[in-house]
Amino acid sequence: MSFWGYPRPDGSVGTRNCVGVIPTVACSCDVARQISQNVTGCVPFIHYQGCDLTPSDIGLVNRTLANLGRNPNLAGVLLVSLGCEMTDVDGVLDNIAQSGKPVGKIVIQRVGGTIAAVAEGSRIAAQMVSEASRIIREMFHDSELMVGAECGSSDTTSGIGSNPAIGAAVDLVIKKGGSGVFSQTTEFIGAEHLLAQRAASSEVSRRILEITQRYEKRFLDAGVDMRGTNPTKGNIEGGLITIEEKSLGAMARAGTTPIQGVYEYGERPDGSGLFVVDGPGNDPKSLTCLAAAGANVIFFSTGRGTAIGCPFVPVIKVTANRMTYEHLSDNIDIYVDMASSNNLEESGRVLLQEALKVASGKKTKAEILDQCSYNGIYVVGPLA
């Protein structure tokens, strides 16, 4: 199989051809949003970080913004700076520029305020969109896919239906030479030892256990013991009483292939295969780290239904709950009917075929409803 994608100067392949308008601090989000509204073909990434952070957290923000800008679904990037933030705006710009795509910046305090910044930013963005429109889709092999695997608003059908089906699709992508990435470290708790057994090396195994223990320690330091309980009301109502139950089902979305590496939030994996990025259970912020990791299509398993997307990476919502599929039909892309499927691999093939259609231009429900402007960046320091 193959798909129609957009070639990028660094050799990666986009499934979308947007110009990203990325604020470098919360204070410039409104200007970024207004620029995007002015220029068709632009997509904003709205977040509330970039200032008043610890050194480690601002470093996380810098690398996340840079790797978001390097995502292959962006043909060009405009950074919108206030002018006094902690973010290393020029460093982020230089990092994105190394990918070969056009990147520019405006500084609100320098150009003379909101009106002037929106006008200048719109002019730059319009030129980038014009250049992007000259890029024609070409046929690419499935190996150019990097699929993200997300799980949110879960119920019992997630662990026995939609997550395993997504895992089967991820396995097929990797078998064809592509890559997969998943996160949500909080959903490893109680099953981390099983995930560690899938590591391609002892170092990767150690890192899986390390990032899980690090997350659990944060909960314990706050006086919360996650073991044997579940902090999410919706999960409990959906039949997942403990975090262990949720974790066992959630890890199925990562398929069965060996895990090649573990990365920090905002980092981008090297090579092909299956990777873990350390990130939170919170869906919007988890989607951000999948996009920063380079995912050009994302599968999102949900049992109870959800109504979010990702600014410039198409998100395919998958459920195995028939009532959710029928009741939230404007949000769900694919229903996995495990009762009628001959086997799990068949469900994986169905999802892969849908991913190839989406990669070639088919709109997801989240894109159609424009539920794609905000995701957010996860930081953990005391000033966050």
Side-chain angles (χ1 to χ4, degrees), residues 125-168:
Q127 179 59 39
M128 287 186 177
V129 169
S130 178
E131 294 173 7
S133 69
R134 300 185 180 96
I135 305 171
I136 307 299
R137 284 188 184 268
E138 299 177 11
M139 186 69 77
F140 289 96
H141 189 264
D142 300 6
S143 59
E144 299 297 342
L145 284 178
M146 183 174 193
V147 294
E150 180 77 7
C151 176
S153 193
S154 305
D155 67 7
T156 52
T157 69
S158 299
I160 62 176
S162 51
N163 279 329
I166 288 173

Side-chain angles (χ1 to χ4, degrees), residues 337-351:
D337 187 352
M338 299 303 293
S340 65
S341 297
N342 292 329
N343 55 56
L344 189 58
E345 188 172 351
E346 178 186 335
S347 296
R349 283 195 295 267
V350 170
L351 292 187

Side-chain angles (χ1 to χ4, degrees), residues 95-137:
N95 194 320
I96 297 171
Q98 290 174 18
S99 69
K101 67 180 67 177
V103 56
K105 72 172 181 178
I106 57 167
V107 182
I108 298 168
Q109 292 173 345
R110 190 176 301 165
V111 300
T114 293
I115 295 174
V118 170
E120 176 65 9
S122 298
R123 183 191 65 78
I124 297 171
Q127 179 59 39
M128 287 186 177
V129 169
S130 178
E131 294 173 7
S133 69
R134 300 185 180 96
I135 305 171
I136 307 299
R137 284 188 184 268

Side-chain angles (χ1 to χ4, degrees), residues 79-342:
L79 299 176
V80 182
S81 164
L82 177 61
C84 58
E85 62 265 46
M86 293 176 68
T87 310
D88 180 8
V89 180
D90 289 333
V92 171
L93 186 148
D94 290 343
N95 194 320
I96 297 171
Q98 290 174 18
S99 69
K101 67 180 67 177
V103 56
K105 72 172 181 178
I106 57 167
V107 182
I108 298 168
Q109 292 173 345
R110 190 176 301 165
V111 300
T114 293
I115 295 174
V118 170
E120 176 65 9
S122 298
R123 183 191 65 78
I124 297 171
Q127 179 59 39
M128 287 186 177
V129 169
S130 178
E131 294 173 7
S133 69
R134 300 185 180 96
I135 305 171
I136 307 299
R137 284 188 184 268
E138 299 177 11
M139 186 69 77
F140 289 96
H141 189 264
D142 300 6
S143 59
E144 299 297 342
L145 284 178
M146 183 174 193
V147 294
E150 180 77 7
C151 176
S153 193
S154 305
D155 67 7
T156 52
T157 69
S158 299
I160 62 176
S162 51
N163 279 329
I166 288 173
V170 171
D171 282 347
L172 289 172
V173 169
I174 293 172
K175 189 180 295 184
K176 291 173 179 291
S179 297
V181 60
F182 67 106
S183 184
Q184 297 177 294
T185 311
T186 52
E187 296 176 9
F188 300 172
I189 294 173
E192 68 274 21
H193 60 295
L194 300 176
L195 202 61
Q197 290 174 8
R198 290 179 47 199
S201 69
S202 58
E203 174 59 19
V204 172
S205 177
R206 184 193 67 79
R207 286 282 288 139
I208 290 171
L209 297 176
E210 177 186 42
I211 63 173
T212 307
Q213 292 163 2
R214 188 167 65 186
Y215 251 104
E216 190 167 13
K217 184 178 184 299
R218 292 173 192 160
F219 289 116
L220 292 171
D221 288 346
V224 177
D225 186 353
M226 291 283 285
R227 303 276 174 167
T229 185
N230 191 332
T232 308
K233 175 184 176 183
N235 288 168
I236 295 172
E237 291 176 350
L240 302 176
I241 306 303
T242 68
I243 192 65
E244 290 87 349
E245 290 174 328
K246 184 174 184 179
S247 296
L248 286 168
M251 64 186 287
R253 75 191 186 278
T256 61
T257 57
I259 299 168
Q260 301 297 325
V262 177
Y263 290 80
E264 295 293 334
Y265 190 98
E267 290 184 337
R268 186 171 182 171
D270 295 320
S272 60
L274 182 64
F275 302 96
V276 172
V277 176
D278 182 28
N282 178 276
D283 293 322
K285 295 173 183 177
S286 177
L287 288 170
T288 294
C289 76
L290 298 181
N296 49 15
V297 175
I298 295 173
F299 288 118
F300 193 135
S301 165
T302 180
R304 295 170 58 84
T306 184
I308 63 170
C310 188
F312 44 83
V313 183
V315 177
I316 302 170
K317 303 284 179 53
V318 184
T319 190
N321 186 322
R322 179 177 287 278
M323 289 187 294
T324 296
Y325 181 63
E326 294 174 348
H327 187 58
L328 298 177
S329 59
D330 56 346
N331 297 115
I332 307 298
D333 296 282
I334 293 287
Y335 170 58
V336 175
D337 187 352
M338 299 303 293
S340 65
S341 297
N342 292 329

